[in-house]
Amino acid sequence: NAGVTQTPKFRILKIGQSMTLQCAQDMNHNYMYWYRQDPGMGLKLIYYSVGAGITDKGEVPNGYNVSRSTTEDFPLRLELAAPSQTSVYFCASSRGQPISYEQYFGPGTRLTVT
Amino acid sequence: GESVGLHLPTLSVQEGDNSIINCAYSNSASDYFIWYKQESGKGPQFIIDIRSNMDKRQGQRVTVLLNKTVKHLSLQIAATQPGDSAVYFCAERGAGAQKLVFGQGTRLTINP
């Protein structure tokens, strides 16, 4: 299994541009998550999904959108990028309750907005 | 609300010594706790977890202790090695919640 994969690894955006961060998992996990991690900080939850067609906001959803049309994919959309969105973005997945709450993380996407 | 915090942002230990990383949590209803290790430039990696009906769990060279009375979690790493250098995060799950809440992290550095 490839686990959780993310593309791209790095990206530089200009203010006001938009982009989609891709996330895919091949473990047939129901739950998927998007986090951002600012330098020297912990992980903040942006959005999560407990299954295809179901998404919910996390702690910091403003400026982002998600969709979950399949079990495998959970793309994160940035509209009108702002410097405050400069961060490392991690996607994660888990089997979900009641089986397991352990989350498996992808390698991250490092985004710079200038 | 839920919050998970750490007592120390950095910890420096001698190679071969034991390391203890601490974590405080505020939600007494949390029923699951997990430790992750994050090496530079990588995503977090699972180390060990514990449910609230336990107070200790051991893995390979690692032990997690849970003290629900004072809402404290610790990760002990035995015989610390250079490869243990990383940032360590604790996270908690509130009862019934579908997500984890992560703490800020502790950077562990190993002195030769």
Side-chain angles (χ1 to χ4, degrees):
Chain A
N1 287 350
V4 179
T5 57
Q6 292 183 240
T7 56
K9 287 188 175 12
F10 304 93
R11 184 70 186 269
I12 298 175
L13 280 182
K14 291 190 185 333
I15 295 171
Q17 287 185 321
S18 301
M19 75 165 293
T20 299
L21 282 66
Q22 301 293 342
C23 174
Q25 52 92 8
D26 62 359
M27 297 174 282
N28 201 31
H29 285 173
N30 288 322
Y31 288 29
M32 295 188 75
Y33 307 83
W34 272 106
Y35 295 90
R36 60 175 288 171
Q37 185 177 35
D38 298 331
M41 302 297 287
L43 297 160
K44 293 186 178 179
L45 183 64
I46 305 171
Y47 272 96
Y48 66 102
S49 168
V50 300
I54 306 170
T55 62
D56 209 345
K57 295 178 181 179
E59 183 184 356
V60 289
N62 291 344
Y64 307 94
N65 276 302
V66 293
S67 59
R68 184 95 182 271
S69 56
T70 67
T71 299
E72 295 78 19
D73 300 297
F74 191 40
L76 177 72
R77 178 81 177 163
L78 277 73
E79 304 283 1
L80 299 175
S84 61
Q85 293 178 303
T86 294
S87 191
V88 180
Y89 292 83
F90 289 103
C91 180
S93 71
S94 73
R95 292 184 182 88
Q97 55 187 338
I99 300 171
S100 171
Y101 309 118
E102 177 190 344
Q103 294 181 13
Y104 297 76
F105 284 82
T109 294
R110 185 175 297 273
L111 176 67
T112 302
V113 182
T114 62
Chain B
E2 292 180 326
S3 68
V4 179
L6 293 168
H7 292 305
L8 296 171
T10 60
L11 178 65
S12 184
V13 299
Q14 291 295 122
E15 184 177 348
D17 286 353
N18 296 335
S19 302
I20 300 176
I21 302 171
N22 296 304
C23 181
Y25 64 95
S26 60
N27 185 358
S28 57
S30 289
D31 62 0
Y32 174 82
F33 304 87
I34 189 168
W35 282 99
Y36 281 93
K37 172 185 180 184
Q38 186 178 26
E39 295 174 287
S40 181
K42 296 184 179 180
Q45 183 180 12
F46 170 83
I47 302 173
I48 192 168
D49 58 3
I50 188 168
R51 294 183 184 265
S52 59
N53 61 352
M54 303 173 68
D55 53 20
K56 180 179 180 179
R57 190 162 188 227
Q58 289 183 295
Q60 187 175 12
R61 279 203 309 121
V62 294
T63 301
V64 56
L65 299 178
L66 176 62
N67 185 330
K68 294 181 287 292
T69 302
V70 295
K71 291 185 283 189
H72 184 267
L73 188 70
S74 69
L75 175 71
Q76 300 179 2
I77 304 173
T80 310
Q81 302 168 357
D84 295 326
S85 291
V87 177
Y88 291 81
F89 292 97
C90 66
E92 64 173 325
R93 188 196 84 110
Q98 297 162 329
K99 54 190 186 293
L100 299 174
V101 176
F102 284 82
Q104 186 174 359
T106 293
R107 181 174 299 279
L108 177 65
T109 59
I110 314 303
N111 300 321

